[in-house]
Amino acid sequence: METRGLDPVPDEERTGRVRALFPTWAAANMTVLLLTVGAGLVVLNRLSFWQVLVVAVTAPLVSFGLVGFVSVAGKRGGAPGMALSRAVFGQRGNLAPGALIWVARWGWETMNAVTGAYALLTVGDVLFGVRTTPALIMGTLLAFVAGSFLLSGLGLRALRVCCIWSAYLFGAFSVLVLGHLAVTAPWRLVLDRPPGPASMVIAGIGILTAGGISWAPSGPDFTRYLPRTAPGPALVAFTVGGAAVVLLPMVLMGAVMAEATPALAVTGDPVSFIGALLPTWLSVPYLIVTITGMVLINAMSMYSAGFTAQTLGFSLPRAWAVGVNAAISLFLGALLMMVASSFIESFVSFLNLLAVTFSAWIGVFATDMLRGRSYDPVALMDTTPASAYWYTGGVAWTAVAAWAAGLAVGLLFTGVEWFTGPLAGTWPGRSGLGWAVTVLVSGGLYAALPRPGRGRGAAAPLHI
């Protein structure tokens, strides 16, 4: 079990390898939600197969390109992302974006837990004809959340081992599914579908990118054990490659499946269609493997959530700090499964809000990296006024102001199921680019403002 928390990893323990990032980010995308999104691109966005291909190629390049870039900070500073964020926002100033990101993780873990529970219910239905009841829903949801919590508590080494084996199994069964679709899919209907509006292509890229960039604050959590000499370009390449190798075929598979099952895009249960479209010998093991992948996704998110909770002042070991997230995702998951009428609408709405939340932090943090930030390991852990990252009253006001401005402007361009900003009807809003506006505003404003001075009484930093 990993016992290290927020404290930076010393040089002698930095023995990780860059290539380990490939299965890590492959596992982070092993969710059947991508099939649902792929179907939505065809049914709701009215895109052709070739337009879906453009979306599926572009989105991971943009989103996980950003994740990979932010991950470079992990090997520079050797600490989790939200701990490194203290150097940017200040010891107290980091509480605002940290709290919002922590709350956003509740939603991400809830959505993934619900999908995993649906997959478990589907396996029971296909194999044994088990009818869904409220008690069974709660039981499967509890099992999924408990598995995620236990794995995240073990730490990074256990996650890496599971990611490697899960990626191999998922890849093997995905090849079988692709082969089955290649033989049985109505390819004439798939390929003859007329192209949709270009604005819907951009909107599709925005939706998929929104999900990917939510991993950016977690990126350094998985690179802090890399030596400082690890090449940055390779780090970015393995991050993008691991995500794309899963995301691309999954989205395309969803687009092909939508021709036979268009209701997939608006169903309240996003995975039950697999049992109908695939033979039992393939659908059951495929669902079991994807359930494993979704447990890993939640475990990775909870792993990072533990660090975030610690930066907010929770004086618990990392393994127990994630328990709060587990309990909340269990409650919200039960509410979503029993109340929500359309899973995909709830999911897309959540992704858009999630993207704006994370993008405000990304714009400031990434711009700070471009300014050549180096990290003081002592100051990161010192939460007193003596810290080099205390700034003014514990707050780097320029960074917090840029973050808040980017968040506010991004919400103006966001229109979702529960909230519509006054500029949501403009081209960026209709195209799902509220997150891009957020990055540009927060990053641009932070670049224009002067960098904050060091905290009073701070010693000269030991750069790492």
Side-chain angles (χ1 to χ4, degrees):
M1 177 181 290
E2 181 185 10
T3 57
R4 185 174 299 282
L6 296 179
D7 50 312
V9 180
D11 286 346
E12 59 271 18
E13 294 183 25
R14 294 197 186 191
T15 57
R17 296 183 178 183
V18 176
R19 65 171 180 261
L21 295 174
F22 188 92
T24 297
W25 294 115
N29 286 274
M30 289 189 305
T31 170
V32 293
L33 286 175
L34 290 175
L35 296 175
T36 309
V37 172
L41 293 175
V42 171
V43 177
L44 303 179
N45 289 40
R46 305 185 307 279
L47 301 185
S48 69
F49 177 82
W50 303 111
Q51 288 176 316
V52 173
L53 177 62
V54 171
V55 170
V57 169
T58 305
L61 290 176
V62 176
S63 58
F64 283 91
L66 283 172
V67 173
F69 177 74
V70 172
S71 297
V72 173
K75 66 108 174 179
R76 286 184 185 176
M82 294 314 297
L84 298 174
S85 184
R86 289 171 167 176
V88 183
F89 294 93
Q91 293 288 358
R92 288 179 173 173
N94 192 50
L95 297 177
L100 195 57
I101 286 174
W102 190 50
V103 171
R105 289 199 187 283
W106 300 351
W108 178 248
E109 291 158 12
T110 297
M111 288 291 180
N112 199 62
V114 167
T115 311
Y118 275 135
L120 283 170
L121 292 170
T122 300
V123 171
D125 180 45
V126 171
L127 286 180
F128 309 109
V130 177
R131 297 185 62 183
T132 300
T133 64
L136 188 58
I137 288 175
M138 285 304 301
T140 55
L141 191 62
L142 178 61
F144 186 92
V145 173
S148 302
F149 171 69
L150 291 174
L151 183 56
S152 66
L154 291 175
L156 187 58
R157 181 174 296 178
L159 285 171
R160 282 177 175 167
V161 172
C162 291
C163 284
I164 291 172
W165 285 104
S166 184
Y168 282 138
L169 289 172
F170 184 81
F173 279 100
S174 292
V175 169
L176 291 175
V177 173
L178 286 170
H180 176 78
L181 289 177
V183 175
T184 62
W187 285 106
R188 181 173 295 276
L189 294 176
V190 171
L191 299 178
D192 289 347
R193 175 178 283 272
S199 61
M200 289 294 98
V201 176
I202 297 173
I205 294 172
I207 291 171
L208 274 177
T209 301
I213 61 176
S214 65
W215 284 109
S218 303
D221 304 355
F222 301 102
T223 58
R224 71 192 200 283
Y225 282 95
L226 294 178
R228 292 195 301 271
T229 55
L235 188 154
V236 176
F238 277 110
T239 299
V240 173
V245 77
V246 174
L247 191 148
L248 177 60
M250 289 288 284
V251 171
L252 292 179
M253 285 162 57
V256 172
M257 289 177 174
E259 290 295 343
T261 314
L264 160 63
V266 294
T267 181
D269 178 348
V271 294
S272 61
F273 72 96
I274 292 181
L277 288 178
L278 299 177
T280 302
W281 66 266
L282 182 55
S283 63
V284 171
Y286 185 64
L287 278 173
I288 291 174
V289 171
T290 55
I291 290 168
T292 304
M294 287 183 285
V295 169
L296 275 173
I297 292 174
N298 252 27
M300 290 171 65
S301 181
M302 287 184 180
Y303 177 73
S304 293
F307 295 129
T308 306
Q310 288 180 318
T311 63
L312 296 177
F314 286 81
S315 56
L316 294 171
R318 176 198 56 80
W320 290 108
V322 300
V324 179
N325 274 53
I328 292 173
S329 64
L330 181 63
F331 169 75
L332 295 178
L335 189 66
L336 181 61
M337 292 183 78
M338 295 182 182
V339 176
S341 58
S342 174
F343 184 91
I344 189 64
E345 288 183 8
S346 300
F347 180 62
V348 171
S349 295
F350 166 72
L351 281 184
N352 284 323
L353 285 177
L354 185 76
V356 172
T357 300
F358 284 85
S359 295
W361 180 89
I362 292 170
V364 175
F365 190 87
T367 302
D368 191 76
M369 288 179 62
L370 291 173
R371 283 177 160 181
R373 166 71 67 180
S374 56
Y375 301 93
D376 182 341
V378 175
L380 286 174
M381 302 304 297
D382 184 0
T383 57
T384 70
S387 173
Y389 301 138
W390 188 254
Y391 302 120
T392 305
V395 180
W397 290 104
T398 55
V400 173
W403 168 79
L407 180 63
V409 173
L411 290 174
L412 295 178
F413 288 89
T414 302
V416 296
E417 188 178 1
W418 324 291
F419 167 82
T420 301
L423 300 179
T426 62
W427 182 82
R430 295 193 309 271
S431 301
L433 296 178
W435 63 269
V437 174
T438 304
V439 170
L440 292 176
V441 171
S442 61
L445 185 58
Y446 183 67
L449 294 172
R451 297 183 69 171
R454 293 169 54 77
R456 292 183 179 181
L462 173 62
H463 296 310
I464 63 175

